[in-house]
Amino acid sequence: DGGITQSPKYLFRKEGQNVTLSCEQNLNHDAMYWYRQDPGQGLRLIYYSQIVNDFQKGDIAEGYSVSREKKESFPLTVTSAQKNPTAFYLCASSKTNIGEQYFGPGTRLTVT
Amino acid sequence: KNEVEQSPQNLTAQEGEFITINCSYSVGISALHWLQQHPGGGIVSLFMLSSGKKKHGRLIATINIQEKHSSLHITASHPRDSAVYICAVRANTDKLIFGTGTRLQVFP
């Protein structure tokens, strides 16, 4: 089945630790995205990548890093510099940068 | 003021009722999306439209470009329709801007 997978579903970390969230797609999509969702707010764009080995900052990139070494994979690292990392993180992909986006199931990160 | 506003924020209904969720936006757009987020968090795309009206099963989405307004209607609502419905617009800058969502609960 084609789709987007994110792992794990729930993640717990201690403050000060870096953590990497996984996102894989087998839809042969060129563009991939990372969003953060907080209660009472719309999804906010962290980083996006339109093609392998290229990515751009979104609206709230501070404290995060990404890589796009393979078309299928777009991992997100939440660094210790991110002041408020506890949130629900959603990965998405689209065939082109303006195409319909398909979302993964999300990872809920809790940092204490 | 948010560039994409949804109303109401929360909505409860009895099974069988006709439901309307509204979305207003303040930017120029090339397309508008309606998304559904299930309690587990996963998001699925319901509609992408740039004019007129689209229908899929019991769901109908309309858009009025001049009024900068879209509505999502659910006919004969069912408890399985309970979810958060999110409006998102593709701005003319190609940026995707999301509303904060409307939480719908349908009771039997």
Side-chain angles (χ1 to χ4, degrees), chain B residues 82-104:
Chain B
S82 298
V84 175
Y85 292 85
I86 300 170
C87 171
V89 300
R90 173 76 63 188
N92 288 336
T93 57
D94 284 344
K95 182 180 178 182
L96 199 57
I97 306 169
F98 294 83
T100 56
T102 294
R103 184 175 299 277
L104 171 66

Side-chain angles (χ1 to χ4, degrees), chain A residues 19 36 64 78-79 82-89 109-111:
Chain A
V19 60
R36 171 181 172 137
Y64 299 98
V78 185
T79 75
Q82 167 50 234
K83 298 301 179 193
N84 188 19
T86 294
F88 188 59
Y89 291 87
L109 173 65
T110 302
V111 177

Side-chain angles (χ1 to χ4, degrees), chain B residues 27-102:
Chain B
V27 297
I29 71 168
S30 58
L32 182 143
H33 300 257
W34 281 103
L35 310 169
Q36 181 190 54
Q37 185 170 29
H38 291 283
I43 292 177
V44 296
S45 177
L46 299 175
F47 295 104
M48 182 172 70
L49 63 165
S50 54
S51 66
K53 177 181 176 178
K54 285 191 176 181
K55 184 176 190 290
H56 185 252
R58 295 180 294 106
L59 301 177
I60 303 166
T62 65
I63 187 169
N64 185 320
I65 297 295
Q66 287 73 32
E67 300 274 322
K68 293 190 173 180
H69 181 268
S70 176
S71 292
L72 177 69
H73 305 286
I74 305 175
T75 62
S77 59
H78 190 276
R80 66 174 174 265
D81 296 326
S82 298
V84 175
Y85 292 85
I86 300 170
C87 171
V89 300
R90 173 76 63 188
N92 288 336
T93 57
D94 284 344
K95 182 180 178 182
L96 199 57
I97 306 169
F98 294 83
T100 56
T102 294

Side-chain angles (χ1 to χ4, degrees), chain A:
Chain A
D1 280 16
I4 302 177
T5 57
Q6 290 185 244
S7 59
K9 179 76 172 171
Y10 299 94
L11 191 53
F12 298 88
R13 279 295 183 272
K14 294 288 188 186
E15 198 173 309
Q17 292 179 334
N18 291 354
V19 60
T20 297
L21 282 59
S22 165
C23 177
E24 305 276 332
Q25 55 96 2
N26 61 4
L27 299 167
N28 198 33
H29 285 173
D30 289 315
M32 296 187 74
Y33 313 83
W34 274 105
Y35 293 96
R36 171 181 172 137
Q37 187 177 38
D38 294 283
Q41 296 192 45
L43 273 67
R44 292 183 290 168
L45 183 64
I46 304 172
Y47 267 98
Y48 66 101
S49 167
Q50 296 185 31
I51 198 166
V52 175
N53 292 321
D54 186 50
F55 49 83
Q56 286 80 41
K57 293 182 180 180
D59 298 320
I60 55 165
E62 187 175 347
Y64 299 98
S65 66
V66 293
S67 63
R68 185 88 187 274
E69 296 176 2
K70 297 188 297 181
K71 188 175 186 177
E72 303 79 24
S73 179
F74 191 40
L76 173 75
T77 297
V78 185
T79 75
S80 56
Q82 167 50 234
K83 298 301 179 193
N84 188 19
T86 294
F88 188 59
Y89 291 87
L90 283 155
C91 177
S93 71
S94 60
K95 184 61 181 165
T96 68
N97 66 315
I98 59 170
E100 185 175 0
Q101 291 186 16
Y102 294 79
F103 288 84
T107 292
R108 190 166 299 279
L109 173 65
T110 302
V111 177
T112 57

